[in-house]
Amino acid sequence: MPRQQRQKMEIHTNEKEVTEKEVTLHLLPGEQLLCEASTVLKCVQEDSCQRGIYGRLVCTDFKIAFLGDDESALDNDETQFKNKVIGENDITLHCVDQIYGVFDEKKKTLFGQLKKYPEKLVIHCKDLRVFHFCLRYTKEEEVKRIVSGIIHHTQAPKLLKRLFLFSYATAARNSPAMDPKKHAVMFDTLQDWCRELERTKGNMKYKAVSVNEGYKVCERLPAYFVVPAALLEEDIVFFQGRGIPIWCWSCHNGCALLKMSALPKEQDDGVLQIQKNFSDRIYKTVHRPPYETAKTEDLSSNFLSLQEIQMAYSKFKQLFLIDNSTEFWDTDIKWFSLLESSSWLDIIRRCLKKAVEIIECLEAQNMNVLLLEDNASDLCCLVSSLVQVMMDPHCRTIFGFQSLVQKEWIMGGHCFLDRCNHLRQSDKEEAPVFLLFLDCVWQLVHQHPPAFEFTETYLTVLSDSLYIPIFSTFFFNSPHQKDTNVGRESQDSQSKPLNLLTVWDWSVQFEPKAQTFFTNPLYVEKPKLEKVQRKGTHFKHQRQLSLPLTQSKSSPKRGFFREETDHLIKNLLGKRISKLINSSEELQDGFREFYDGWHSRPPSYQGLLLPRLEGPEIKVWAQRYLRWIPEAQILGGGGVATMSKLLEMMEEVQRLQEKVEARHHSQEALQAEAASPPRTSGRLSSLFPFALLQRHSSKPVLPTSGWKALGDEDDLAKREDEFVDLGDV
């Protein structure tokens, strides 16, 4: 490096030295500093020009953190959405997806022991953030330590007991235990299952059993669960809990949704005959025509595979891991082909369609539905949860939804440890099944906002919480594995079980004011309000925000973002691809009649809820996938910004009500109330609440007309007279 450049760098370093010393590293209980490097430049890449801030890059056994001179008005902004555990420049070790090094302007994947160390470190995160750290001015020894440390602690295989979860829980062992039942039904007692049976009116045909208490029968099943009342306990024990129908939920007409894991595969004819006789006898507990009929749905052979899900998401997420503005606009021209080739939106549609098919059996045909899967812990969790969200309004409340996740996913034995690859032991087991479920729920929230007590911000934060290892919720493969490792099964009466947090206590991550963004102010809570809401909210504007049903090919010289007006950028307008456009033609007659019949009536937000499955209705979850891309922001707009404005109006109404009440008590209280300044959303964009207004890039000029006026993409290419420089907007 030229001496003059280094001298300039030293001047900048000295100017920042005092500030760096003032920035302190905040450690959680049990968290330890492992390595650090100073004089690191955190870059903001914009059109090949670098700028950023200097500071320290540190790695602990919990996170990677950048400590720099980044104090701004945002820190004091009243509307900022802050996480108390993870800062803006923090990355938990489990959130790291890929690490790249830049050598002579070439980006290469980093792993294992390095012979040469990069001049820049690029970290892609599982929550789709991208960090650039320039190490050009950092001491060589510090570069080696920090790069090697980050690679080792994020990519090397781990043992379960070495997770930070246990360090944190051990350090907080003597802290007061929080009551998780305030936030969700945990389904860890027999009484929880009995109450759920009573709530769904399923206690006439089904019973809660404790035969697996202490996990004596099967380590894969929870200690307590529900089976048909006619099922004998010896049948449960016969194949260690396999091959038996386990109750998920009961419909209002008495039909039930059940799941079953496959029996062990055998080659011996004698054993196969025993299995057949056993299966026939067990099946009769749920299928007794003409009184009760059942349909089996084999998800292992007739539905998605985990490999399909993982491959689709791996392609899909690359669309949003953008290194700089130039890359954003360069890939814009290939947007639709890349989106189509990922198949992620098609997988979402298939999941929703499968759930609607099962609902049609339960609701219209009055049949029990038995879901079959090898372990009944992946696609069974996904489909059964979607069915309940659509059919049971209780599951569309915050408490009910959290209870649903506890019942179907946590107690259902979904292998979060393997599917999220928290231990980095095998990529073969990794598949974002739970994220797929959240994306499907987001589609429902987006199509039917008044039916849900929670918002898309709640779902986004829940997806982020998958990678925060202070909560036990998503870091075990089964209840047995959790209880074994926290000491609940220990025979030593002197040992005290670890105090593990549940993710459902949102006060650990967010202040009460931030939690208000989880609650939907337009939620229709009581049936008597349905008629008022139905008339004006039957989703006309959903169609306005969708691409038209046309198979015309886009111009090879123009990309999607260059063709659209700025206020449509964030929406991404669904998936206009041929295989989804005609998807409705694939539906069978009975299903078609049920599906069309429901959509022909005004929706009942406290009753059955069905999604629209046509191609343009299945959209990209813009808030989760686009929130870190400033080029995609809508200045002063977006769904969450609109929701924030509604919250402001509701707060103003509440203040006015308090003023009226204050007239009868104290004039001083009235004056104090009048002096409180209202909250403002003037600096919001569509990236809110995860970011406020961010940097602007040199965007290409865009047409000012709305979509309906512009027509299809072929027409757009011909309209050259309505352009305006966005820099003036």
Side-chain angles (χ1 to χ4, degrees), residues 481-496:
Q481 185 185 51
K482 176 183 176 180
D483 289 350
T484 301
N485 284 280
V486 301
R488 291 180 182 174
E489 290 193 329
S490 174
Q491 301 297 320
D492 184 7
S493 59
Q494 300 294 325
S495 63
K496 183 179 179 181

Side-chain angles (χ1 to χ4, degrees), residues 579-686:
K579 66 180 176 181
L580 287 186
I581 289 172
N582 299 319
S583 62
S584 59
E585 298 175 3
E586 304 169 6
L587 306 180
Q588 298 176 357
D589 292 341
F591 177 86
R592 178 89 261 178
E593 182 180 354
F594 175 74
Y595 176 82
D596 288 342
W598 187 89
H599 282 289
S600 67
R601 300 185 298 269
S604 173
Y605 296 126
Q606 287 297 317
L608 175 64
L609 204 67
L610 297 186
R612 290 199 174 275
L613 300 173
E614 291 77 11
E617 299 292 346
I618 306 300
K619 301 179 184 295
V620 173
W621 183 359
Q623 187 191 69
R624 184 182 194 275
Y625 300 120
L626 284 172
R627 56 188 158 148
W628 312 121
I629 305 178
E631 289 76 15
Q633 71 182 327
I634 306 170
L635 306 182
V640 182
T642 303
M643 191 69 67
S644 177
K645 196 66 182 176
L646 288 170
L647 287 171
E648 290 178 28
M649 294 173 63
M650 294 177 68
E651 288 179 3
E652 181 65 21
V653 170
Q654 185 177 356
R655 279 196 293 269
L656 291 172
Q657 290 175 339
E658 291 173 355
K659 287 180 181 180
V660 172
E661 294 175 1
R663 290 180 185 276
H664 305 289
H665 296 88
S666 168
Q667 189 65 25
E668 293 180 2
L670 175 62
Q671 294 173 352
E673 196 62 38
S676 60
R679 187 172 62 175
T680 175
S681 58
R683 301 182 65 247
L684 303 186
S685 77
S686 58

Side-chain angles (χ1 to χ4, degrees), residues 121-136:
L121 199 63
V122 182
I123 300 178
H124 286 187
C125 304
K126 292 182 179 179
D127 62 4
L128 305 180
R129 289 180 295 168
V130 177
F131 288 88
H132 296 259
F133 298 110
C134 180
L135 307 173
R136 190 175 299 164

